[in-house]
Amino acid sequence: METISKRFQQTQFWADFKCNHGWKSVRKENVSVLYRTFSLGLMKFSIAYIPLAPEKKDSESNEDFVGRIYDFSSAIKSSLPKNTLCARFDIPLDFDDVQARNESVSGLLSIAKKEKIRFVKTKVDVQPPDSVVLDLSKSEEELLSSMKSKWRYNIRYADKHGVQVRAVAASDASFEQDLSSFYELYKTTAERDGIGLHPLSYYKDLLERSCDEIKITLYIASHEGKDLAAIITLFSKDEAVYLYGCSGNEKRNLMPAYLVQWTAICDAKKFGSKIYDFYGIPPTGDDKHPMHGLYLFKTGFGGKEIHRPGSFDVPYSVMYRLYTLAEDFRAWYHKKFMKKIRGR
């Protein structure tokens, strides 16, 4: 499988987009650094975020890599607000299995402890650390043959029974109507699965920024005029990414989610992307995991599972600990407490 030379989170495209939604950015050593300021009563504080960077060099030892991350956090500090609590890194190391990933995390933390470097593994990851990717250098026939047989059947079933998929661009005359339909489906999904969603303006802005280098597309699967499922994808020369997805509660037996993904996969291959990243799965196939269905759906397309270390913080302030306590409570509230309430 081909490697990714530049993650979309490190592009100027993504920095500009995020800066239109509450973030600010600086570049240091050709690395995109985002930061955001929050208010808590009269107190203001900021968090710096470095998505999927820096890359580990082939010949670089883990000791040198940890040292370089720490040195980078020190180098950017003067470019950040004075009240910045920490620099948060999503480290772009890909592992084939969870055990190797976990051993790497333990190793990095041990090195930091030995070198007396403050380097903290967060309980909450910003980017999904586990994903599954398809190698788009394969032919369509090879991609189909690598899927589970039921997935091939579902794609053909949806097509045979009249499910149609349309690719929507911001320049289309129907864009506003299609975007509204997508958002209604997303609200249904959010309520059903207990997930959060951005305001409509967020997705609208993202789609309107589509360009030759980074193409953003809304795909909608429909049947007899009724929109059933939708996804938003990002295509670049390096990668195609399934960013957002949603579905309604009607006609799920027609398997629209399978056909809409296959359509996007084929389009990504035509665009010239190297891989198709399904962007987020549970770490294992544990059938007790609340998102086990998502794991089955995404892995069934036949891609390779990858597991990254997740997010790490380099604290700057003594107030950092209070922030992480509040962050942990917020994660518990949304992932545990609110899901139980919705379940009732």
Side-chain angles (χ1 to χ4, degrees), residues 168-187:
V168 179
S171 57
D172 294 346
S174 62
F175 174 64
E176 296 286 349
Q177 181 179 343
D178 287 332
L179 181 65
S180 177
S181 180
F182 158 80
Y183 201 64
E184 288 303 311
L185 289 170
Y186 215 148
K187 287 192 289 187

Side-chain angles (χ1 to χ4, degrees), residues 59-237:
S59 60
E60 191 172 27
S61 68
N62 285 341
E63 288 80 2
D64 288 342
F65 184 51
V66 171
R68 187 157 60 89
I69 291 172
Y70 185 79
D71 289 345
F72 183 81
S73 70
S74 300
I76 64 174
K77 189 175 181 180
S78 62
S79 301
L80 301 171
K82 290 183 179 180
N83 58 359
T84 302
L85 301 184
C86 67
R88 177 161 295 179
F89 295 81
D90 263 311
I91 299 177
L93 296 175
D94 295 351
F95 297 93
D96 293 337
D97 60 74
V98 173
Q99 181 178 347
R101 183 266 303 282
N102 292 346
E103 289 174 354
S104 174
V105 169
S106 296
L108 295 175
L109 293 175
S110 295
I111 291 168
K113 184 177 181 180
K114 179 181 177 182
E115 299 297 325
K116 298 182 179 180
I117 292 174
R118 293 194 70 194
F119 191 57
V120 181
K121 178 69 187 79
T122 67
K123 292 182 180 179
V124 179
D125 296 310
V126 181
Q127 301 298 325
D130 307 282
S131 190
V132 56
V133 297
L134 293 175
D135 181 358
L136 295 183
S137 68
K138 296 180 179 180
S139 67
E140 289 186 13
E141 292 74 20
E142 289 173 324
L143 289 169
L144 284 167
S145 66
S146 67
M147 294 180 191
K148 291 181 179 179
S149 59
K150 181 63 174 175
W151 270 239
R152 292 193 298 272
Y153 173 82
N154 287 346
I155 291 168
R156 290 164 181 157
Y157 183 90
D159 185 50
K160 180 180 179 181
H161 286 79
V163 175
Q164 296 181 325
V165 178
R166 63 188 186 274
V168 179
S171 57
D172 294 346
S174 62
F175 174 64
E176 296 286 349
Q177 181 179 343
D178 287 332
L179 181 65
S180 177
S181 180
F182 158 80
Y183 201 64
E184 288 303 311
L185 289 170
Y186 215 148
K187 287 192 289 187
T188 298
T189 300
E191 178 64 27
R192 184 180 65 228
D193 298 340
I195 60 174
L197 71 166
H198 296 285
L200 178 64
S201 58
Y202 183 91
Y203 306 102
K204 184 175 187 288
D205 182 31
L206 177 60
L207 285 155
E208 288 178 338
R209 289 175 182 270
S210 182
C211 58
D212 291 340
E213 293 77 22
I214 296 184
K215 183 179 181 182
I216 310 294
T217 307
L218 168 62
Y219 290 91
I220 301 179
S222 63
H223 182 260
E224 296 178 346
K226 177 68 175 179
D227 292 339
L228 306 177
I231 64 175
I232 292 179
T233 60
L234 178 152
F235 297 169
S236 73
K237 67 177 183 178

